[in-house]
Amino acid sequence: MKKELGIFTLLLVLCGVTAVMNPRFLSVTNLTNMANIIGLYGVFSLGLGMVIITGGIDLSVGSMFALAGVLLSMALTEWHWPWPLAAAFVIAIPMLLGWAHGSLVTRMKIQPFIVTLCGLLLYRGLARYIAGDGTKGLGNAEGFETFASLAKGKFFGLPAPFVILIVLSVIMWFVLHRSVYGRYLLAVGRNEDAARFSGINTRFVIGTSYVLMGLLTGVAGILFAFYTNSISPSNHGNFFELYGIAAAVLGGCSLRGGEGSVIGILIGTALLQVLQNLVNLLGIPSSLNFAVMGAVVLFGVLADQFFQNRAAKKLVRH
Amino acid sequence: MKKELGIFTLLLVLCGVTAVMNPRFLSVTNLTNMANIIGLYGVFSLGLGMVIITGGIDLSVGSMFALAGVLLSMALTEWHWPWPLAAAFVIAIPMLLGWAHGSLVTRMKIQPFIVTLCGLLLYRGLARYIAGDGTKGLGNAEGFETFASLAKGKFFGLPAPFVILIVLSVIMWFVLHRSVYGRYLLAVGRNEDAARFSGINTRFVIGTSYVLMGLLTGVAGILFAFYTNSISPSNHGNFFELYGIAAAVLGGCSLRGGEGSVIGILIGTALLQVLQNLVNLLGIPSSLNFAVMGAVVLFGVLADQFFQNRAAKKLVRH
Amino acid sequence: GPGGGPKKLKLAFVVNNASDFWKHARAGTEAAAKELGNVEVDFRIPSSGQAAEQRQVIDDLLAKGVDGIAVSVIDRTNQIEFLNKVAGQTLLITHDSDASESKRVCYIGTDNTAAGVEAGKLIKEVLPSGGKIMIFVGTLDAANASERFAGIKKELAGSKVEIIDVRTDETDRARAQKNVEDTLVKYSDVACLVGLWSYNGPAILNGVKSSGKAGAVKIVCFDEEDQTLAGVADGSIYGTVVQQPYEFGKQAITKMAKYLGGDKSALAGGQQIVPTLNIKKDNVAEFKARLDKQLGK
Amino acid sequence: MRGIAKRFPGVIALDDVSLDVGKGEVVALCGENGAGKSTLMKILGGVYQPDGGEILVDGQPVKINNVTDAMKLGIAFIHQELNVLDNLDVAANVFLGREPLLGPFKLINSKKIHADTEPYLKRLGLNISSRTRLDKLSLAQQQMVEIAKALSLNARIIIMDEPTSSLTLTETERLLELVRELSESGVTVIYISHRLGEIEHCADRVVVLRDGKNAGQLNHDEIAHDRIVSLMVGREIKSFYVESNAAQTPGYLQVRNARSNRYPEKMVSFDAARGEILGFAGLVGAGRSEIAKAVVGLDARGGGEVSLGGQKLAINSARDAIAQGIYLVPEDRRGEGLVTGMTVRENVTLPSLARFTSLFMIRRDRERTTADEQIKSLNIKTPGCETAVVNLSGGNQQKVVLGKWLSMSPKVMILDEPTRGIDVGAKAEIYRIMRALAENGAVILMISSDMEEVLHVSDRVAVMHEGQITGVLDRADCTEENIMQLAVGKKIASAKPAFAN
Ligand SMILES: Nc1ncnc2c1ncn2[C@@H]1O[C@H](COP(=O)(O)OP(=O)(O)OP(=O)(O)O)[C@@H](O)[C@H]1O
Ligand SMILES: Nc1ncnc2c1ncn2[C@@H]1O[C@H](COP(=O)(O)OP(=O)(O)OP(=O)(O)O)[C@@H](O)[C@H]1O
Ligand SMILES: [Mg+2]
Ligand SMILES: [Mg+2]
């Protein structure tokens, strides 16, 4: 928790500043919108976090979104599958691809960066080809209203993606911080040899982390498809891998593996989204949008580092 | 060289296949076009390779291109600076930023991924703000014809960027493979502690690798600005960091640091460009463009791995 | 408001991505705001060009509080539900790119299919005896791209002009230019290159020049980037179909203000088309002068 | 194990090697560096697959395909190189792969795992909490955690590959006791060590390997230092320690007010003479290694003042120290001493690369000459100077670290556990080299946890306790007893102050 404290403070400060400068920040609409978007990004960022903890990376998230979105739209509106089947299908595909990634990484010993970079190219190409380079949509959800309301409705006044994120986070918290599997993830990420010498099936652990990533990507892909309600395969989900990685790393995951927490990833995700909200609400020129985000993140990380160094020094002195 | 052999073979095979299926592949125009584009991408990929060898990464290349391009255009066409001054300015800025990256990484101990991700956001925002979100251009190069012909003219029948790449590669080859600094880069990338214990100023070595990266980014940024002749700051150079990283990694650089070669990076760059050329020349639908690239790269890496494994086994048997 | 005086109308103008095109629209909105006096314009650019980002921008605007929004719809079929939600909360019109089935009050902008037809006419003019053409665009799944493409096809149907294919570049200019170069290598008999998005014109021009085919291959494109207009002026581009983004901006703001002031007729008819212009060598100078004036240069 | 063979690119590590162990027996495996001890054990532990031969357990042939198979057969393995996870706590490391579970969701039973860990820590005399993260522990403590882990397996056979190389006397004694207890309760222990004293102390039988072949064995009553050595190296090694008769210049090196990170409020000052070997003794965590790092500028805050021959030196980084001829052979050779992915040549020349350049280009031929010289003079067992250091045996890696500094004529050489993992022959060689350096006018500071080494090699011994030097013993007063007294912080009469004011 100590590691996440710094970034959590930054998050609070940002929220405070924005709320003071524009009270609408705290309006129900705004908070709901933000919860919704945090839910969307959080789900796949959790998955990315797990993969990063094993010392891997996944660059193919955005492209998988495109592929999943196109397939979802076609299954529902063109092939008229029953929605549970369509949902299962759209979650199974990324899991299968995740399994393939995992196998290539563990059995063929190809760097995760390369494997998933190829994935990034491949799946987007496939999505565009399958969609015939046209935009696919979910229209008015005729015939799968239940599904739509599960994916973009509200539960207890909270947007569905947010509720789903909370549920998944609780599960993932137990998985990462309380289960044997989670401990193995951390072990494998830090020192694969040492883990293997302890009798851990490192291939299985690393491989399944990509499958888990696939599962979460599939879920997030469905949520995201319903959010935009339309999937233009050439740019649906573009750059999302970067957001996810940024969220995980901001939240304390180390790209060298072996380090990271569920809470951290959630705070990282929230921070990125609050930042965007802030830029919009404070009426900062859109062109400076990115610049403000970059500057704040950098500032936050620097401040965090500064305080951690000071704390470390104090520890030594006494 | 052994490590590069596999990917070099793949490059040759691809060229062979394309040449057979469409003889125009070998036409002077096509080869010139390709040399030109390889030159453009090669220059910054070399820089990225160096940074990757130290165990770092630079995600800000594309945004720096936008910033450098906008500043170049303004210096030349709006402020009417003499071109050598403008060139020096546009190279100095990325070097300065590179120096800042290096300092943040080595002194503040912030992960390179985070530092340069912030850079990615910041510099693009700045570029857009400076340009007022409008496209900047170099027009007909009135008043800086010499500069333009240095950047996009021909030397000995070869396109300028290609010639510049060759010259820089030769220099970088000596730097990386024959100089003390290069040896330090490799050592620091593999084991920073051991390098420091051996009296290497690891901060200096890592820091300067980002400055070097800045220098090469500046040069490539100028070449690229002259190539497109107009810079729309919101998407000029988007995703270029990924191309560069992919080229370096394909060419044998390990993202864990300590491994890589100039030849490898060049072959990696060439491979990516030949692939694009191939897709276009063979008339594969645009939508499958990416998919083909992804598939070929994956196939190549797999084959390479396969043969290396076999070779290793043979070595053991005898 | 806190400054006293009459309450200012807050109107938002949301575009689809960051490009020069919108500079003119912005000038239009500013001109309108100046003329009207009681309007404050919030000009928003979702830079990624993605529906999701646009949606977020609009959500934020609603949270901030606005009296009216003019939006260039990124996805007309699937953003409908969202647009209807927006229309329920504030005055909503569309510009540049429409979503006719939504509850938006009116559309102000180009008819892209008609613009495609105009481009088709230019192509037929420049290739009187027919020939092969290649089309270049960022992505084909964008509405304006597919409509323009449809317009061109419609106009060329039955003529001797043959469309080889479409090459996309995902708004990467380097690739846009590379696509041109590769096309010229693969199809040595291509007679005319057509660019559907604003940067495709300059990209085609550069590609043709670097391949040494300047003058030999005709070019028809869209919009009014500086290099495009320069190309039209020196004859290396045959013609370009330009929209009038300045008018989008000016009319959208003016008419929304009128409408909110009680003049419902200002946004009547559901669709108010701003015609396109065909710019060729003979009228390019005059057009350029007008643009400069609009931008206050 | 019968007729085991194993080849690596360029080397035959094992050739028709056999090894039998009985229930409850303590078998010591001896051999020079690179003889194949670790390789043989890795085959038994399922890390490597043999190229030939078979393994029998209880008379039944078994196939050990991976580490899990070995564990199932009741084989626990303490590797020569540390294999702990420093991002996890002690308990997690001890029970890694065998966590106690709780409840329907099979979550880790955190109470039980900590409760189960404590007894093992106690049994090893390790005074740390089971909740400490491993990156907070010293190398020696991490090593003890790894031993705890092997114990907790309740195995039938425990392989210990140089478990004491980073331990000091107290822990070593505790470990040897433990080995006895284990064998009494019927557990077989295979014990690899280059400290022959330990072997004489605990082994029931000694098996010696030489160049990847069986070189013979000694039964309990035949075990003696000299006999082991002659089997190992095939010749007698006469005198282990070289006496000094060099002229000394006292006070040549003066260190004032150096501090360790761990005990920042305590200052360390000492003098050392030119031509002497000053030993540093102390218990685990006494702060010897940290002081050494501070002196060579690796910890800029703790450096204090260093003067050499009356001249104050400005040392702010290892670079500065190296420029002054002050070198450190660190204790963690894989983490700090070597760039293991690089070749022997590249490692040897790393600190002095500038010497090998002409016209800014590195001359590889000159590098090779120097590397080959070191390979020869230190008798490093390697296919050549272009072999990656990872592929060398542990002891030979240590020699590469030494070679790197010896090629640069040191003025002050600080050796932190210089003979960790080094075989007797090479040890004698290293002592000879140290002595030669001293006689040529260098100051040698030797930090060592090997009591024999401290006693016999040093001219004087400085003893540290909790970040301070409690006293310095002259050669005449150097006894195990005296050192232990000082090491636990007691004052004794014969101890001299560490420096003259
Ligand atoms: N993975 C490897 N690849 C190549 N060669 C290896 C590898 N592992 C060991 N060797 C070689 O095999 C031989 C035996 O090594 P081993 O580690 O078994 O020696 P050892 O007896 O344990 O020595 P030490 O006492 O120094 O630990 C050495 O020559 C070593 O260089
Ligand atoms: N990274 C670290 N974080 C916190 N404490 C540490 C760290 N490294 C070492 N220590 C502690 O610092 C103390 C001094 O360690 P140092 O290595 O200098 O002792 P030493 O006398 O050389 O003993 P050793 O035989 O363990 O090397 C030890 O108690 C150790 O636990
Ligand atoms: Mg060994
Ligand atoms: Mg020590």
Side-chain angles (χ1 to χ4, degrees):
Chain A
M1 193 58 223
K2 225 189 294 164
K3 230 189 144 180
E4 291 92 34
L5 208 63
I7 175 148
F8 186 62
T9 316
L10 180 64
L11 179 62
L12 287 185
V13 170
L14 279 185
C15 289
V17 169
T18 320
V20 168
M21 295 183 64
N22 190 338
R24 280 167 194 274
F25 176 74
L26 294 178
S27 67
V28 176
T29 345
N30 191 51
L31 290 181
T32 314
N33 287 342
M34 218 153 53
N36 191 18
I37 206 108
I38 290 175
L40 287 173
Y41 280 82
V43 172
F44 71 89
S45 297
L46 277 179
L48 253 169
M50 298 307 118
V51 169
I52 289 175
I53 284 174
T54 69
I57 198 146
D58 193 338
L59 300 178
S60 69
V61 184
S63 299
M64 275 209 204
F65 272 21
L67 187 60
V70 165
L71 290 177
L72 183 70
S73 153
M74 292 173 80
L76 290 173
T77 64
E78 294 174 23
W79 311 329
H80 300 289
W81 289 6
W83 72 261
L85 181 64
F89 176 61
V90 167
I91 294 178
I93 294 278
M95 284 177 78
L96 214 73
L97 295 175
W99 174 82
H101 292 171
S103 305
L104 287 170
V105 169
T106 56
R107 312 224 157 237
M108 300 300 299
K109 307 271 172 240
I110 305 181
Q111 294 188 45
F113 189 92
I114 297 276
V115 170
T116 57
L117 182 70
C118 290
L120 178 150
L121 297 168
L122 252 172
Y123 311 145
R124 186 160 303 278
L126 276 183
R128 287 178 57 185
Y129 187 73
I130 293 173
D133 246 344
T135 301
K136 294 279 166 185
L138 296 168
N140 290 324
E142 269 152 52
F144 47 95
E145 292 83 358
T146 329
F147 192 20
S149 74
L150 277 178
K152 59 178 174 179
K154 298 221 163 145
F155 298 116
F156 323 111
L158 292 171
F162 189 69
V163 175
I164 292 175
L165 175 66
I166 296 297
V167 173
L168 286 175
S169 298
V170 171
I171 298 176
M172 290 306 294
W173 187 85
F174 276 104
V175 168
L176 182 63
H177 299 295
R178 285 291 174 270
S179 85
V180 174
Y181 179 70
R183 181 152 294 177
Y184 291 176
L185 282 176
L186 289 163
V188 161
R190 178 49 56 100
N191 186 339
E192 204 185 322
D193 281 338
R196 201 176 46 249
F197 290 161
S198 297
I200 294 174
N201 188 344
T202 54
R203 282 187 183 173
F204 175 81
V205 173
I206 296 179
T208 45
S209 79
Y210 286 90
V211 178
L212 191 61
M213 168 81 221
L215 171 73
L216 293 172
T217 305
V219 174
I222 292 177
L223 297 178
F224 192 62
F226 274 104
Y227 177 73
T228 59
N229 210 40
S230 84
I231 301 97
S232 78
S234 68
N235 62 22
H236 187 79
N238 241 351
F239 272 126
F240 271 42
E241 46 281 347
L242 277 190
Y243 288 120
I245 297 171
V249 175
L250 267 177
C253 295
S254 160
L255 288 169
R256 288 175 182 246
E259 212 88 45
S261 70
V262 169
I263 309 273
I265 298 169
L266 292 182
I267 300 177
T269 309
L271 184 71
L272 287 181
Q273 297 310 326
V274 168
L275 259 177
Q276 298 220 18
N277 192 243
L278 172 154
V279 168
N280 279 322
L281 284 191
L282 298 189
I284 294 168
S286 318
S287 59
L288 274 180
N289 225 328
F290 278 146
V292 171
M293 266 181 77
V296 172
V297 170
L298 188 61
F299 170 79
V301 176
L302 268 172
D304 188 35
Q305 197 74 17
F306 177 74
F307 285 115
Q308 275 190 17
N309 283 355
R310 264 214 352 201
K313 262 185 208 149
K314 263 205 186 130
L315 216 70
V316 170
R317 294 266 162 252
H318 300 291
Chain B
M1 191 58 220
K2 225 189 296 163
K3 231 190 144 179
E4 291 92 35
L5 208 64
I7 174 146
F8 186 61
T9 316
L10 179 64
L11 179 62
L12 287 185
V13 170
L14 279 185
C15 289
V17 169
T18 320
V20 168
M21 295 184 64
N22 189 339
R24 283 165 194 276
F25 176 74
L26 294 177
S27 67
V28 175
T29 339
N30 192 49
L31 290 181
T32 313
N33 286 341
M34 219 152 52
N36 190 20
I37 204 112
I38 290 175
L40 287 173
Y41 282 83
V43 172
F44 71 89
S45 298
L46 277 180
L48 253 169
M50 296 309 117
V51 168
I52 290 175
I53 283 175
T54 69
I57 198 146
D58 193 339
L59 300 177
S60 69
V61 184
S63 299
M64 276 209 203
F65 272 22
L67 187 60
V70 165
L71 290 177
L72 184 70
S73 151
M74 292 174 81
L76 290 173
T77 65
E78 295 175 23
W79 310 330
H80 301 289
W81 288 6
W83 71 260
L85 181 65
F89 176 62
V90 167
I91 293 178
I93 294 279
M95 283 177 78
L96 215 73
L97 295 175
W99 174 82
H101 291 171
S103 304
L104 287 170
V105 169
T106 55
R107 311 226 157 234
M108 301 301 298
K109 307 270 171 242
I110 305 181
Q111 294 188 43
F113 189 92
I114 297 276
V115 171
T116 57
L117 182 69
C118 290
L120 178 149
L121 298 168
L122 254 172
Y123 311 145
R124 186 161 302 279
L126 276 183
R128 287 178 56 185
Y129 187 73
I130 293 174
D133 249 339
T135 305
K136 295 278 166 187
L138 295 168
N140 290 325
E142 268 154 50
F144 48 96
E145 291 83 359
T146 328
F147 192 19
S149 74
L150 277 177
K152 60 176 172 179
K154 298 220 164 145
F155 298 117
F156 323 110
L158 292 171
F162 189 69
V163 175
I164 292 175
L165 176 65
I166 295 297
V167 173
L168 287 174
S169 298
V170 171
I171 298 175
M172 291 305 295
W173 187 85
F174 277 106
V175 168
L176 182 64
H177 299 294
R178 285 291 176 270
S179 84
V180 173
Y181 179 71
R183 179 74 60 80
Y184 286 177
L185 281 177
L186 290 161
V188 162
R190 287 227 190 232
N191 188 341
E192 200 185 325
D193 278 337
R196 199 176 54 249
F197 274 67
S198 294
I200 297 173
N201 189 342
T202 52
R203 282 187 184 172
F204 175 81
V205 172
I206 295 179
T208 46
S209 78
Y210 286 91
V211 178
L212 192 62
M213 167 83 221
L215 172 73
L216 294 172
T217 305
V219 174
I222 292 176
L223 297 179
F224 191 60
F226 275 104
Y227 178 72
T228 59
N229 210 40
S230 75
I231 299 99
S232 84
S234 68
N235 62 22
H236 187 78
N238 242 348
F239 271 127
F240 271 42
E241 45 281 348
L242 277 191
Y243 289 121
I245 297 171
V249 176
L250 267 177
C253 295
S254 157
L255 288 169
R256 290 176 181 243
E259 243 166 297
S261 70
V262 169
I263 309 273
I265 298 169
L266 292 182
I267 300 176
T269 309
L271 184 72
L272 287 181
Q273 297 311 325
V274 168
L275 259 177
Q276 297 219 20
N277 193 241
L278 172 154
V279 167
N280 276 321
L281 286 193
L282 298 189
I284 295 167
S286 276
S287 58
L288 274 179
N289 227 327
F290 279 145
V292 172
M293 266 181 76
V296 172
V297 170
L298 188 62
F299 170 79
V301 177
L302 268 172
D304 187 33
Q305 198 73 19
F306 178 74
F307 285 115
Q308 275 189 17
N309 284 354
R310 260 206 5 193
K313 266 190 201 140
K314 259 204 187 134
L315 216 68
V316 170
R317 295 265 163 252
H318 300 290
Chain C
K7 187 180 169 300
K8 279 197 165 187
L9 275 181
K10 284 187 187 161
L11 300 178
F13 194 87
V14 181
V15 305
N16 52 9
N17 63 26
S19 94
D20 258 11
F21 184 76
W22 296 114
K23 261 201 303 202
H24 302 283
R26 177 171 230 150
T29 61
E30 279 160 6
K34 208 161 148 203
E35 266 171 34
L36 294 165
N38 66 336
V39 172
E40 199 178 284
V41 179
D42 200 340
F43 197 91
R44 290 300 177 95
I45 307 168
S47 45
S48 70
Q50 292 185 30
E53 192 189 348
Q54 190 181 51
R55 175 169 172 183
Q56 224 178 319
V57 166
I58 295 173
D59 276 338
D60 288 338
L61 281 171
L62 291 177
K64 203 176 158 192
V66 282
D67 300 304
I69 298 180
V71 57
S72 165
V73 180
I74 291 177
D75 185 333
R76 63 191 154 154
T77 44
N78 298 295
Q79 273 181 317
I80 291 171
E81 191 187 334
F82 171 65
L83 292 172
N84 288 346
K85 193 188 97 185
V86 178
Q89 296 182 31
T90 188
L91 167 63
L92 177 73
I93 68 168
T94 53
H95 67 85
D96 179 48
S97 164
D98 193 14
S100 50
E101 291 107 80
S102 73
K103 296 198 182 121
R104 55 103 179 112
V105 177
C106 184
Y107 168 70
I108 297 174
T110 307
D111 177 346
N112 274 305
T113 315
V117 170
E118 289 302 316
K121 284 181 190 156
L122 287 176
I123 296 166
K124 282 208 288 203
E125 273 174 38
V126 76
L127 299 179
S129 50
K132 288 184 176 173
I133 67 170
M134 179 68 94
I135 293 176
F136 300 92
V137 68
T139 61
L140 204 48
D141 49 16
N144 64 352
S146 54
E147 284 169 4
R148 286 175 192 179
F149 185 43
I152 292 174
K153 274 204 287 202
K154 189 166 120 197
E155 178 64 21
L156 294 183
S159 77
K160 274 190 256 154
V161 179
E162 178 199 342
I163 303 174
I164 304 172
D165 206 348
V166 184
R167 292 274 179 266
T168 61
D169 53 59
E170 289 72 44
T171 73
D172 177 347
R173 272 189 194 221
R175 191 127 49 83
Q177 191 170 331
K178 190 83 195 345
N179 281 344
V180 174
E181 292 169 354
D182 287 342
T183 299
L184 291 175
V185 168
K186 183 165 162 72
Y187 305 99
S188 51
D189 54 347
V190 65
C192 176
L193 304 177
V194 183
L196 297 190
W197 280 1
S198 61
Y199 62 83
N200 288 117
I204 293 174
L205 199 51
N206 283 344
V208 169
K209 275 185 191 161
S210 77
S211 301
K213 298 237 179 167
V217 180
K218 308 291 178 216
I219 303 171
V220 170
C221 58
F222 280 81
D223 298 336
E224 61 277 347
E225 285 216 7
D226 290 347
Q227 229 191 321
T228 304
L229 293 183
V232 173
D234 70 20
S236 44
I237 294 178
Y238 177 72
T240 178
V241 180
V242 300
Q243 309 178 68
Q244 304 193 65
Y246 181 86
E247 290 302 319
F248 299 177
K250 189 164 178 191
Q251 291 185 21
I253 298 299
T254 314
K255 289 177 175 170
M256 279 201 290
K258 273 193 189 154
Y259 183 91
L260 290 167
D263 178 6
K264 302 283 180 200
S265 69
L267 292 173
Q271 249 194 6
Q272 302 190 2
I273 299 300
V274 181
T276 58
L277 305 172
N278 291 357
I279 304 298
K280 294 189 283 190
K281 200 165 183 172
D282 49 3
N283 59 354
V284 65
E286 173 202 340
F287 176 70
K288 185 113 181 27
R290 205 174 85 206
L291 282 186
D292 286 349
K293 196 170 146 241
Q294 284 172 357
L295 289 178
K297 275 190 190 163
Chain D
M1 305 179 80
R2 303 228 179 285
I4 302 290
K6 178 75 188 171
R7 283 179 290 268
F8 292 113
V11 262
I12 297 174
L14 294 172
D15 182 14
D16 191 22
V17 172
S18 300
L19 174 72
D20 292 291
V21 292
K23 187 173 156 67
E25 197 182 17
V26 179
V27 176
L29 199 54
C30 288
E32 290 188 270
N33 294 132
K37 304 180 295 292
S38 301
T39 306
L40 184 66
M41 290 302 102
K42 281 183 183 163
I43 287 171
L44 183 57
V47 179
Y48 291 153
Q49 296 308 305
D51 295 330
E54 56 174 356
I55 302 172
L56 302 146
V57 174
D58 297 330
Q60 300 297 316
V62 291
K63 190 117 184 54
I64 305 178
N65 287 317
N66 51 43
V67 181
T68 320
D69 286 354
M71 283 182 174
K72 279 192 198 130
L73 288 168
I75 300 172
F77 195 167
I78 300 167
H79 288 265
Q80 182 171 11
E81 310 291 354
L82 267 182
N83 275 300
V84 292
L85 296 161
D86 62 2
N87 59 339
L88 299 179
D89 66 17
V90 173
N93 268 284
V94 170
F95 282 99
L96 191 65
R98 297 167 290 117
E99 291 79 0
L101 302 178
L102 180 72
F105 294 110
K106 299 238 183 328
L107 299 181
I108 295 175
N109 187 339
S110 135
K111 237 188 220 142
K112 184 162 167 16
I113 194 172
H114 286 286
D116 286 355
T117 307
E118 295 292 350
Y120 292 109
L121 298 181
K122 273 218 190 73
R123 199 166 163 203
L124 287 168
L126 202 54
N127 188 21
I128 49 174
S129 155
S130 62
R131 292 175 194 274
T132 322
R133 252 175 78 122
L134 255 74
D135 51 10
K136 297 267 179 285
L137 300 182
S138 73
L139 211 56
Q141 288 167 325
Q142 294 186 16
Q143 177 74 45
M144 293 300 273
V145 171
E146 190 149 354
I147 294 171
K149 178 172 165 184
L151 280 184
S152 74
L153 272 166
N154 292 322
R156 298 164 65 192
I157 304 176
I158 299 187
I159 304 167
M160 300 188 179
D161 195 351
E162 304 196 27
T164 54
S165 67
S166 54
L167 302 185
T168 54
L169 197 64
T170 16
E171 289 102 33
T172 305
E173 274 173 0
R174 181 72 207 104
L175 183 70
L176 293 179
E177 256 173 63
L178 196 80
V179 167
R180 273 265 74 86
E181 285 168 23
L182 285 172
S183 88
E184 271 156 26
S185 62
V187 177
T188 305
V189 178
I190 304 179
Y191 193 90
I192 301 178
S193 178
H194 289 293
R195 297 181 179 176
L196 300 185
E198 292 168 7
I199 288 175
E200 284 175 316
H201 190 80
C202 75
D204 297 321
R205 192 152 56 87
V206 175
V207 175
V208 181
L209 296 184
R210 186 161 72 221
D211 292 335
K213 299 193 183 74
N214 283 92
Q217 55 172 312
L218 302 168
N219 290 323
H220 189 64
D221 40 356
E222 301 170 329
I223 298 175
H225 190 286
D226 295 347
R227 297 192 62 170
I228 303 176
V229 173
S230 67
L231 274 182
M232 274 169 65
V233 294
R235 68 192 150 89
E236 296 281 317
I237 292 186
K238 283 286 268 298
S239 132
F240 222 57
Y241 306 114
V242 190
E243 290 299 325
S244 158
N245 46 16
Q248 299 193 351
T249 322
Y252 182 67
L253 170 74
Q254 301 191 330
V255 175
R256 293 291 177 274
N257 303 332
R259 282 184 301 199
S260 55
N261 252 331
R262 170 87 165 187
Y263 305 102
E265 69 283 4
K266 295 188 180 169
M267 307 284 192
V268 171
S269 303
F270 63 90
D271 289 346
R274 190 171 181 180
E276 83 166 336
I277 297 177
L278 176 61
F280 275 80
L283 301 179
V284 173
R288 297 165 299 165
S289 302
E290 292 198 349
I291 289 295
K293 284 181 193 167
V295 169
V296 296
L298 282 162
D299 176 4
R301 282 177 297 157
E305 288 157 26
V306 178
S307 55
L308 199 58
Q311 226 172 346
K312 272 216 178 101
L313 306 180
I315 296 180
N316 291 313
S317 67
R319 221 161 15 114
D320 297 340
I322 289 167
Q324 302 289 350
I326 303 178
Y327 309 144
L328 169 70
V329 173
E331 62 181 332
D332 179 2
R333 66 168 164 259
R334 272 209 309 187
E336 299 169 340
L338 294 168
V339 182
T340 47
M342 287 184 143
T343 63
V344 174
R345 165 178 61 83
E346 287 167 326
N347 271 287
V348 167
T349 58
L350 194 56
S352 54
L353 261 185
R355 288 196 310 169
F356 300 92
T357 56
S358 63
L359 288 172
F360 301 108
M361 299 292 118
I362 300 177
R363 294 281 302 271
R364 295 192 182 185
D365 47 342
R366 288 194 212 158
E367 281 189 283
R368 247 172 242 133
T369 317
T370 305
D372 284 335
E373 270 167 26
Q374 294 304 325
I375 289 174
K376 215 166 138 229
S377 75
L378 291 169
N379 192 18
I380 300 174
K381 200 170 270 180
T382 163
C385 66
E386 299 296 342
T387 305
V389 169
V390 206
N391 294 334
L392 298 190
S393 79
N396 283 307
Q397 291 183 5
Q398 182 72 14
K399 290 188 196 169
V400 175
V401 189
L402 280 172
K404 145 170 148 178
W405 298 113
L406 292 179
S407 71
M408 293 172 61
S409 37
K411 280 194 205 147
V412 176
M413 185 86 164
I414 308 178
L415 300 127
D416 197 351
E417 315 286 358
T419 58
R420 155 170 306 163
I422 287 204
D423 68 46
V424 270
K427 256 187 206 167
E429 186 65 16
I430 285 170
Y431 298 148
R432 201 189 51 72
I433 291 168
M434 283 165 63
R435 185 51 73 192
L437 282 175
E439 284 177 353
N440 284 331
V443 180
I444 310 288
L445 306 181
M446 181 189 70
I447 301 169
S448 173
S449 303
D450 184 342
M451 186 61 84
E452 269 182 86
E453 180 168 290
V454 172
L455 288 176
H456 292 98
V457 179
S458 349
D459 296 321
R460 292 189 303 147
V461 176
V463 186
M464 286 188 69
H465 169 70
E466 294 191 347
Q468 273 182 318
I469 297 184
T470 40
V472 175
L473 297 166
D474 283 335
R475 181 146 191 95
D477 304 319
C478 259
T479 60
E480 197 172 320
E481 164 85 47
N482 280 347
I483 291 177
M484 283 319 291
Q485 292 282 332
L486 288 172
V488 296
K490 295 208 182 100
K491 297 237 176 314
I492 57 170
S494 52
K496 309 266 185 315
F499 63 105
N501 265 320

